[in-house]
């Protein structure tokens, strides 16, 4: 039987492991430490995204509760999607930080265009 050659995937995995090993202090190869580092980096990247989203929602909601906008947070987001406005939470939070009046004008435009009986499904 002929010898099979391993593909590039195993080489790539070993090269990745050796690059992690180079960054650690201490003695010989620490494979458990490498595996832990990979798992932690993956987990913390997702946690960072979660924390940023939570921060954006808090910023938007704080301006709404100050009385600048005649909405609550969930209705504002619902009507943005209903109107097909391409403003995600990150952009809305940046608008809130830069100019609260802009969010006020935006919400007033949404209120003019959206009929609440339609959006609630009560027709």
């Amino acid at each position: 039987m002929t010898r099979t050659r391993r593909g590039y995937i195993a080489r790539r995995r070993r090269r990745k492991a050796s690059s992690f090993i180079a960054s650690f202090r201490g003695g010989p190869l620490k494979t458990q430490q490498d595996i832990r580092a990979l798992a932690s980096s993956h987990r913390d990247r997702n946690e960072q995204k979660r924390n940023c989203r939570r921060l954006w929602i808090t910023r938007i909601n704080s301006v709404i509760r100050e009385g600048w906008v005649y909405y609550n947070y969930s209705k504002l987001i619902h009507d943005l999607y209903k109107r097909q406005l391409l403003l995600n939470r990150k952009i809305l939070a940046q608008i809130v930080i830069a100019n609260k009046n802009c969010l006020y004008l935006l919400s007033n435009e949404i209120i003019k265009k959206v009929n609440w009986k339609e959006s609630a499904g009560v027709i």
Side-chain angles (χ1 to χ4, degrees):
M1 196 164 178
T2 60
R3 178 182 172 269
T4 60
R5 296 177 59 196
R6 292 299 304 258
Y8 68 96
I9 295 172
R11 266 196 314 276
R12 191 170 52 185
R13 186 184 66 238
R14 290 187 195 107
R15 191 179 318 127
K16 188 175 187 179
S18 67
S19 70
F20 274 106
I21 290 164
S23 65
F24 290 125
R25 296 178 63 192
L29 303 179
K30 298 180 179 169
T31 55
Q32 288 296 316
Q33 196 171 5
D34 301 337
I35 293 168
R36 186 78 179 162
L38 286 171
S40 296
S41 66
H42 178 72
R43 182 197 63 225
D44 292 339
R45 275 195 305 272
N46 288 337
E47 189 174 340
Q48 183 182 14
K49 292 173 192 170
R50 208 176 313 141
N51 289 338
C52 285
R53 183 181 169 101
R54 188 179 302 153
L55 176 66
W56 301 330
I57 290 171
T58 304
R59 286 178 177 168
I60 296 166
N61 208 11
S62 68
V63 171
I64 290 172
R65 288 173 187 246
E66 283 177 9
W68 281 86
V69 179
Y70 303 114
Y71 260 109
N72 64 15
Y73 173 78
S74 62
K75 288 181 183 176
L76 177 69
I77 296 297
H78 173 74
D79 286 346
L80 282 173
Y81 279 109
K82 189 173 175 96
R83 290 279 314 277
Q84 296 178 348
L85 294 175
L86 300 176
L87 294 172
N88 57 14
R89 289 165 181 84
K90 180 181 178 181
I91 300 299
L92 282 174
Q94 289 175 352
I95 289 171
V96 165
I97 291 170
N99 190 2
K100 294 177 185 176
N101 195 26
C102 186
L103 186 69
Y104 173 75
L105 294 173
L106 183 69
S107 68
N108 284 344
E109 285 297 317
I110 294 172
I111 288 173
K112 288 178 189 174
K113 301 289 183 183
V114 174
N115 184 2
W116 266 104
K117 288 183 179 176
E118 283 180 18
S119 78
V122 182
I123 294 179

